[in-house]
Each structure stands twice: as C-alpha cells, then as structure tokens.
Amino acid sequence: MDNFWTTLLYAFLSMFVIFNYGMLLGGVVYKIIARVHGRFGPPVWQPYVNLLKVMGVRTAISHGIMFWLGPVFRFAGGIGLFLFMPVVFGSVWMQNFSFSGDLLLVIYFIFFGQLGMALGAAESGHPYSPMGIMRGLAQVTVSEVPFALAVIALAAQHGTLSITEIVAAQQGGIGNWNMMTNPVATLAGMMAFLGMMMHAPFNLHLAPQEIPVGPPTEYHSNFLGYMQANRAFFASAKLILFMNLFFGGATNIPVLVGKTFTLYMFAVFVGVVNPRFTLENSIRWFIRIPTATGIIAVLIYTFKN
Amino acid sequence: MTEADNEENKIIKPDFSDPELFCTALPKEVPRMNNIIQKFYDWAQANSLWLLAFGTGCGSIEMRPLYTARYDISRFGIAPRPTPRQSNLFIISGYVSVKTLKRIIRSYEQMQNPKFVIGLGSCTINGGMYWDSYNTINRLDHYIPVDVYVAGCMPRPEALIAGFDELKKRIKEGRGEGANEYAKNFAWYKANQKKIIKDWDMPDYNW
Amino acid sequence: MKELIERLRSKFNAKNVKEQRKNFVFITVAKKDLEGCVLYLKEFEGYGHLTLLTALDWIEKDQFELVYHLHNYSNKTDVSVKTFIDRKNPTMVSINNLWAGARVYEREIKELFGIDFPGCPRVNDPFALEGWQEIPPMRKDFDTKKYSEETYFPRPGRYTKDNVAQMEEQLYPVEAEVKNGIAKTVRKK
C-alpha cells in the first residue's frame, strides 16, 4: 500500500478485466443453456450487443430520484463486493482493496444492491416491481442463512474473517482447501450458492412468465444498461468469493478462469435440468437441508474448541 | 345485489390533463446523429431485437415456434421481453379489434424511441378476411407506424424470420425511424385513433 | 326422450318439437313459459349445464329468437329451448340466478343484439365493443360492410375473382372461350 494511486489504477484494471470476463461468461452460459435445449443459441458476444443497444436507446423515462438511484445502488453493490476481495492471490495488480474489509462487509454488499433495487423499483409504481422485489428479497434472505452459517464455520476454523488470510491458509495443494478441511461448511455454502446465482430452480423473481421480469419491470435504456453491466460484475464477484472461500483461491488468471467457470457450470447445470421452485418451496428447501448442514458445520467447531 | 355491483364496478374517469397524475408531455422527435456512432448503434439495434410478448391476434401462435429448437430466433439475438419498456420490436400478430387497438397504442407509446413494428398477416395490411367486419381495423399503418409487413394468413415462422431479416436491413440502412415518424405526425395518428376509439379513457400520450 | 317431450308438451305447451338426433331435441316455448321450462329441466330432469345461450335476428318476422342449449351429463342428451320475443321491445327474463355463467352470455347478447335482461349484474357494461355508438352490430339492419368502409380506411385495390373463371382463364383459355361462345349463342336463341 505504498501508493494509493497505483492501487486505484490496478483496481480499475482488474475491474475492466472482470467486467469483460463476466460478459463473456454470460454469453457462454446463454450458449450452453441453448445447447441443452437443443438450440444454437445466441452468439457469445450477445451480452455486449445487448448492452450497446440499451445504451443507444434515445429516450428514457425517469420516475424520480430513487428510480434513478436503484440501478446505481445495485451497481455499487456489485462493485463493492468485487473490490474488497483478492481476485488473484499473491498477484500485485489483482489484489483490489482486500487489505481492508472482510467477510462481514462482503455479506453486507451482497444484500446492499438488492435493497437499493427495492427502493428504486418500488418508486416506479408498477405493481409487478414490488412483487418481484418481495420475492427476490425473500430468496436472497433465505439463501443468506446457510451462507452465513458456512461463513461462521470458516471463521471459527481459521480464526479470522479476512478473506486474504483465509485464502492464504488454503495454499499448498488441494488437501489444504476448505473443500477438504471443512466439507460440511462447503456443502452448506454451495447450496446457498445455488440460491444466489439467480438460475433455476431459484429464479422465480426473474421469471418472465409468472411476473413480467420482476424488479426491473419498469427499467429501460441506460438504467437497464447499468443492471446488465452489474449482472456481469456481480456474477463474477460472487464466483470469486466462493472460489476464495472454499476452493483455495487462485494464484494466476488461468486458474481463476478455470475454477470460476467450473463453479458457474455447477449452478447452470443444476438450473437447466430443473424446473423453477415457487417461492414457498424454495424457502422451505433452504431452511431445511442447507440450513441444517450449516448448523452442523457450526456445531462441529463449537465442540471442537 | 345488482345495484351494489354496479356501484362497485363503476369506472372512475380521472382528469387526464392533470399534470400531477399524468404526464401531459407529447412525444418528441429525437433526430439521428449522422456519424459513425449512430451506425454502430444501428448495428447493435439490428442485432439485439427484443420483441414484446403481446399476442394481439391469432398470429401469436406462430410466434411460439420461433423460440423452439426448430427455428430458434435467439441465433439472431432476438429475445422475448414481457414489458414494453425494455422491448424495441412490436409484432402485431393478426387481426386488431378496436378493443385491442387501445391496448396496442398504450403499449406502443410506452416503448422507448428506436422502436419497430412488424405487421404480421394479411389482417394488418388490408383487413384480410375481416375486411368488412364492424370491429377490426383494416390498415394498421393509419394508427401506428409500421416498418415491415409480412403477408399471409397465417404466415409461417419462416416468413416471420424473413421479415426479421428485412427489418434488420432497414435498421442498418437507417430507415427504422418509426418512433420519430410517430412524433412528427402525432396529430394525424391521434385523430385516426380517436376516430374509432369512441371511449377514449386514457391520456393522449402514454409516454 | 319421448317421455320428456311429452312432459314438456303437457307442462309448458312445447311446440315445434324437432328431434335432431335421438339424443338431441329442439323445442319452442312461449316467452312467459321459458324460465319455468328451463328451471324445470335443470332441477327435475338433470339438465344442469347451460352449453350456450344465443340469439337470432328474424327481421322479416320482426322477432328475435333466443336459444337456450342445455346438456344432461347423466344420460348425455341435449335439449335446445327456443323462444321468440318482440323485436320492437326486446326484453327477456334473466336466468343469471340459475347459472352464473349466463351473465356473460346475457351481457354479450345485450351488446350485440340490444336485447335487455333486467336484473342481470353488469349487463350494461361493454363486453367486446368499448364505446359502441351505432345500433347493435349483429342486428340484420346494421350494414357492417358500409360501416367498415366508412370507419376503417379500406385499402384500395381489393377485388374478387370467381374461382372457376380464374382457373379457366389461367389453364384452358381457348377451351373456355369456346365454351363461353357456345353458351352465349345458345342463350341468344
């Protein structure tokens, strides 16, 4: 931390890299889902085209300040989540601001965007927006429960909340990963991961048929552009978070890409072969098996020490 | 019982010229930029058409196969969107009754500026088999600007894909200016719409 | 079925009995007997399903005809009860207390034929035509083609062709000419 400006430059650089990575990842996932359906699917660069198109829309209707701030909050949540994590462990320029901030801050940032979005979408006055928010918030809240329990178990295991230290403790081979040393917490975390990645069966709040697209019903043009860009950030940031917590982090970019891609494929493949849960079913599912697993993970460390 | 029912279901007509409740602004023309950025945006518009999933007539049954593995329009970057705010392509699929036309106008006006309309089927061109009906319009282009017509009763999905190709060509040539045309000839379109929609119970422009 | 027809004849003075099929019969009753007849069929004969309720315009006889089509689920038979009402003063008893679904039919008939059903909830609300100001469009004296041409900007260039003439002209022009020539000469004489 000798030079603040260097750190800032590096942070922007890594943001640029991770944004493009997230966009391409989205395109690849569309393609994979299409292939599972037996279709060709859109080209891999389709997210870029969509973003450009949305930016090129000439008129925009604002429903007020909060409506405008909603996507900004969401974007801030995505970037905040990303900026307080080490992307590549030991790398000089992919460290971001991981020297400050810890797991609790990260959990807060996961929630922050949703809350901002809730305020913004509610201002639009469209009845489907609050419905989508209600469902989305319930979904995120309930998948936070096993995740928080897994995080507590990890913190008890390593005696710290700093992500950098947790990653550092996992270096030196697959045997040191939390996946091996703390399998119960990993199981709970991965089940929470399914709920966080906004893929079926836990994406009712985004379902276009049940309620037209949920929270972003009224968002268009540049507002929607923010949200699309945020989706790229948020998805890859969450992937990096889970990779850091349970799968040993990454020491270079190829390892980062390989691990996050595999992680994402886990959520995608569960998604494409499963129908959607209704909200009641998904809440019921989350408070049963994943929460029980999380509690067991915490209990193990309670009695160990 | 009947009295109470009628009281309950009485439609309250608000004052649509009240700027507190409704936007009274009229649509504005947003001219094209004559530079390379506009060309770039045009290319993006043409390759990312989001169509409004609003089936106005029997032709919407021909739109469903487009999303399936056999036709798969997502290859061309075309995806259905459930809300008019985010979509930029409106397919008027088949006959349009006066009651539907009211909803079509509302949805069309909520779409944002570069917006395109495909008239699907003969009914939108000259009324088709409903040409002498008391309740279906004959020419869609008197009510909203139409970019491409796909003739047939009903046209097959292949014909619709050909229509998409034609529309893409138009957009890339910079001729997909339906929204500006609507803003320019707003009075004419509105007069035509009000001629047949006798109970006009919405603001003049639903932004 | 025969016994049912006899009962209806004696009770409601059913006329014009026409057995369309062996499980399907048309009967005609007077306007004042209709509600009782329908109620009797529903409560005592098991015709619990109102399949449809529609109207016809007999402009020459100056009458509207109302058709109540009832179905019996237990023995799979249908009875269609018809009645004639005056065209000058078209009012009919509402049967929405027997079948709630009749409300929709009555509302539709009110809109398309102008037959009033006093007491039917929301019968005056628009059904498919919002803000209709002409005479009801399904009446025979409403000229739908003229209305459409005046209102909906007809696109010029519409023409009709006789199928036979079109095929002859396209496929066998010489033979068609010979045939038409012969026809013309024969008709002249």
Side-chain angles (χ1 to χ4, degrees), chain C residues 5-173:
Chain C
I5 293 166
E6 278 314 308
R7 283 200 290 276
L8 288 172
R9 269 205 178 111
S10 59
K11 279 195 166 65
F12 302 104
N13 192 16
K15 286 177 299 218
N16 254 346
V17 177
K18 184 186 172 199
E19 278 191 77
Q20 188 79 10
R21 294 192 297 272
K22 66 174 191 282
N23 59 352
F24 182 21
V25 62
F26 284 106
I27 59 165
T28 308
V29 298
K31 182 183 167 186
K32 63 175 170 40
D33 291 334
L34 185 113
E35 200 187 8
C37 180
V38 171
L39 180 61
Y40 171 77
L41 282 169
K42 186 191 177 191
E43 298 295 338
F44 297 99
E45 301 287 348
Y47 287 83
H49 179 70
L50 177 70
T51 313
L52 70 91
L53 161 53
T54 187
L56 287 86
D57 186 4
W58 297 100
I59 190 165
E60 303 89 353
K61 290 193 255 176
D62 216 12
Q63 276 175 328
F64 280 124
E65 181 182 349
L66 282 167
V67 183
Y68 295 76
H69 196 108
L70 309 177
H71 179 71
N72 187 340
Y73 279 111
S74 53
N75 58 9
K76 312 242 181 335
T77 55
D78 298 78
V79 173
S80 211
V81 187
K82 298 176 174 181
T83 186
F84 287 91
I85 60 172
D86 186 20
R87 204 166 177 281
K88 294 276 186 331
N89 178 25
T91 313
M92 188 60 204
V93 184
S94 171
I95 55 160
N96 74 80
N97 46 354
L98 302 182
W99 286 279
R103 290 172 194 188
V104 179
Y105 289 123
E106 286 173 358
R107 202 169 142 199
E108 189 181 12
I109 289 172
K110 163 87 197 202
E111 181 168 279
L112 295 177
F113 288 92
I115 302 173
D116 199 7
F117 293 88
C120 179
R122 299 185 65 188
V123 74
N124 293 321
D125 287 8
F127 182 69
L129 312 167
E130 292 181 339
W132 186 256
Q133 289 165 357
E134 311 284 320
I135 57 171
M138 283 287 180
R139 290 197 179 187
K140 284 276 166 60
D141 46 356
F142 176 76
D143 191 348
T144 167
K145 182 160 175 262
K146 183 161 153 282
Y147 178 79
S148 172
E149 277 167 1
E150 280 170 1
T151 318
Y152 296 125
F153 311 104
R155 192 182 283 271
R158 176 182 279 277
Y159 59 91
T160 24
K161 268 188 178 168
D162 179 36
N163 286 348
V164 178
Q166 161 91 354
M167 290 307 282
E168 281 176 347
E169 193 183 310
Q170 296 228 325
L171 298 176
Y172 322 103

Side-chain angles (χ1 to χ4, degrees), chain A residues 39-41 50 53 59 216 219, chain B residues 48 72 74 83 86 112-113:
Chain A
R39 298 184 281 122
F40 275 107
N50 288 349
K53 180 207 95 164
T59 52
Y219 282 103
Chain B
S48 165
D72 186 26
S74 72
T83 150
Q86 296 169 6
Q112 299 301 314
N113 188 323

Side-chain angles (χ1 to χ4, degrees), chain B residues 154-168:
Chain B
M154 281 313 293
R156 283 188 55 80
E158 291 94 331
L160 196 47
I161 292 176
F164 287 138
D165 271 358
E166 189 62 37
L167 180 66
K168 277 188 183 181

Side-chain angles (χ1 to χ4, degrees), chain B residues 55-63 93-95 120 123 129-130 153-154:
Chain B
T56 62
C58 48
S60 52
I61 208 77
E62 302 289 333
M63 282 153 66
S93 47
Y95 61 86
L120 180 65
C123 297
M129 63 186 283
Y130 302 104
C153 184
M154 281 313 293

Side-chain angles (χ1 to χ4, degrees), chain B residues 117-147:
Chain B
V117 176
I118 288 185
L120 180 65
S122 302
C123 297
T124 53
I125 301 173
N126 60 1
M129 63 186 283
Y130 302 104
W131 65 286
D132 58 352
S133 163
Y134 55 90
N135 199 26
T136 52
I137 64 162
N138 278 357
R139 299 179 64 169
L140 182 64
D141 48 12
H142 274 64
Y143 307 103
I144 52 175
V146 181
D147 289 288

Side-chain angles (χ1 to χ4, degrees), chain B residues 82-97:
Chain B
T83 150
R85 291 282 188 215
Q86 296 169 6
S87 46
N88 59 352
L89 170 61
F90 198 172
I91 298 181
I92 310 292
S93 47
Y95 61 86
V96 178
S97 70

